[in-house]
């Protein structure tokens, strides 16, 4: 099985570190990048794309889902999982409209993220 290359973009280090630890323990995944803002993420994946991005809606530079839109424009095959505290249905619908491949609330167990990644990689929306 091909290694799934992942970028994490969240401005809370406790979140990025928790995700990194969970994903590092799984041999299917390799965390390529961790960023705290959208601009640095976009600059990196423009040079070296990843298979999947775990993206916080509230990350600096992602106003109106700008980072999600740009990822999908640069590399439509990259999967994007929105990982957010924002639970309003409008956020979900907007994320879906702009190309998100899954939408996960941060209130869910972080240990479920590997399963969500596999759903997204298969083209199944979670």
């Amino acid at each position: 099985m091909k290694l799934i290359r992942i970028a994490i973009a969240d401005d809370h280090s406790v979140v990025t570190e928790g995700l990194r630890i969970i994903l590092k323990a799984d041999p299917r995944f390799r965390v390529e990048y961790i960023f705290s803002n959208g601009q640095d993420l976009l600059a990196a994946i423009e040079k070296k794309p990843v298979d999947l991005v775990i993206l916080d809606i509230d990350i600096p530079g992602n106003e109106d889902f700008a980072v999600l839109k740009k990822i999908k424009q640069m590399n439509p095959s990259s999967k994007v999982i929105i990982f957010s505290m924002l639970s309003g249905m409008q956020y979900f619908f907007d994320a879906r409209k702009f190309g998100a491949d899954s939408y996960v609330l941060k209130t869910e167990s972080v240990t479920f993220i590997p399963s969500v990644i596999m759903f997204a990689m298969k083209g199944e929306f979670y």
Side-chain angles (χ1 to χ4, degrees):
M1 174 182 244
K2 181 184 160 218
L3 211 56
I4 298 170
R5 297 167 301 114
I6 299 172
I8 302 170
D10 195 298
D11 56 341
H12 294 96
S13 62
V14 70
V15 172
T16 57
E17 188 60 18
L19 287 170
R20 187 190 66 75
I21 290 168
I22 294 292
L23 297 175
K24 185 178 179 182
D26 192 316
R28 298 174 292 180
F29 310 127
R30 182 173 66 217
V31 176
E32 294 281 343
Y33 307 113
I34 296 177
F35 292 107
S36 61
N37 66 72
Q39 291 77 20
D40 291 343
L41 167 70
L42 291 172
I45 65 174
E46 185 172 33
K47 293 176 187 165
K48 184 179 176 190
V50 294
D51 302 308
L52 183 131
V53 177
I54 300 173
L55 177 66
D56 183 11
I57 291 176
D58 284 336
I59 194 168
N62 195 30
E63 293 76 24
D64 299 320
F65 293 92
V67 174
L68 171 61
K69 293 173 192 174
K70 186 68 176 174
I71 292 168
K72 289 299 187 172
Q73 178 186 3
M74 288 188 320
N75 190 2
S77 65
S78 287
K79 305 296 184 184
V80 179
I81 296 172
I82 298 296
F83 192 52
S84 179
M85 287 296 298
L86 301 174
S87 62
M89 289 304 290
Q90 192 58 50
Y91 295 112
F92 169 80
F93 289 127
D94 286 347
R96 204 57 180 140
K97 177 172 74 174
F98 297 125
D101 297 283
S102 291
Y103 194 103
V104 179
L105 293 175
K106 289 181 180 176
T107 54
E108 295 215 26
S109 172
V110 72
T111 59
F112 190 59
I113 289 294
S115 296
V116 175
I117 291 170
M118 297 313 293
F119 285 136
M121 295 306 294
K122 292 177 190 173
E124 298 173 22
F125 189 89
Y126 176 85

